[in-house]
Amino acid sequence: MPSPIGHSLAGISGFFLIRYHSQLSQYFSDKTLLITGIIVANLPDIDFILGYLFFNDFSKLHRQFTHSFFVGLVISILMGHFITKRKKTAYVFTMWLLGLYYSHILLDMLAYDRYPPGGVQCFFPFDFGYFALPITILAGLNMTNGIWDFGNILTILQEIIVIPLLFLVIFLLIKLAKNQSSIYGKNQD
């Protein structure tokens, strides 16, 4: 699993992807969008707190229902509905929240998982199995020797490099898609 720093980098990167969207920048300050991005990108890990509250074990519920695409969809729709007051903004804001929430799940699926069962319950409630992607691009944390283990520091350094690069690629692909659609749109007229 990636560190909270890695997930926060995804939230910060998500902020930069949406920062200049005209509909959102009218109604939300940069500070609000940045803080929201970081919180939502880390939100699936609320299962640590739930595991401790209900079972006195931080890891009891980790990578289960809160790491599901379905739960992410429900939470994003609810947050988008209650936070936004303008219908134009609600759709864009909800899609942004959904992307942030899903970034957490996907990063967890791309990280090396040394604690069985590997992966996350991303298809809960339709399937209770754990799923991971067949490739790993992040080392993942090792909590056996504590958070300040040298391997964890290297993992965090890796996240600082890899996660912003992932979002840069996403940003460039979005920009390329927009350019292609505007080019083809002009040719149709």
Side-chain angles (χ1 to χ4, degrees):
M1 76 182 149
S3 71
I5 293 170
H7 290 304
S8 296
L9 285 169
I12 293 167
S13 298
F15 161 73
F16 283 109
L17 288 176
I18 199 75
R19 181 179 184 194
Y20 296 111
H21 193 281
S22 59
Q23 290 177 350
L24 291 182
S25 61
Q26 277 181 292
Y27 303 109
F28 299 104
S29 70
D30 282 353
K31 182 179 179 182
T32 301
L33 289 174
L34 178 62
I35 291 170
T36 302
I38 292 169
I39 290 171
V40 174
N42 280 286
L43 193 56
D45 280 341
I46 198 165
D47 57 10
F48 281 118
I49 296 169
L50 297 174
Y52 184 75
L53 289 175
F54 293 109
F55 300 102
N56 205 26
D57 180 0
F58 283 108
S59 62
K60 181 76 173 175
L61 297 175
H62 188 52
R63 298 176 291 130
Q64 292 181 13
F65 70 95
T66 60
H67 285 70
S68 124
F69 294 124
F70 179 75
V71 171
L73 177 66
V74 171
I75 288 174
S76 298
I77 289 171
L78 290 173
M79 286 178 69
H81 175 73
F82 288 112
I83 292 175
T84 57
K85 294 175 181 144
R86 309 228 188 275
K87 289 188 180 185
K88 279 193 218 175
T89 312
Y91 175 76
V92 173
F93 189 70
T94 301
M95 290 298 105
W96 180 64
L97 294 173
L98 188 63
L100 290 167
Y101 199 98
Y102 283 7
S103 75
H104 183 107
I105 298 168
L106 292 171
L107 285 175
D108 277 4
M109 292 174 73
L110 285 168
Y112 178 73
D113 194 349
R114 55 185 50 84
Y115 303 104
V120 297
Q121 286 185 338
C122 59
F123 297 115
F124 174 90
F126 310 106
D127 188 333
F128 291 89
Y130 287 79
F131 297 90
L133 294 172
I135 61 167
T136 57
I137 61 170
L138 298 169
L141 293 177
N142 181 355
M143 301 310 292
T144 307
N145 297 325
I147 190 71
W148 297 113
D149 180 61
F150 183 69
N152 289 340
I153 294 169
L154 292 177
T155 296
I156 291 169
L157 291 174
Q158 178 195 32
E159 292 171 351
I160 290 170
I161 295 168
V162 171
I163 293 172
L165 284 175
L166 280 174
F167 276 84
L168 178 62
V169 168
I170 292 168
F171 173 76
L172 293 174
L173 289 173
I174 290 170
K175 192 170 184 159
L176 179 66
K178 282 183 181 179
N179 288 342
Q180 291 297 321
S181 67
S182 68
I183 290 170
Y184 290 120
K186 289 178 184 174
N187 288 342
Q188 292 176 352
D189 291 335

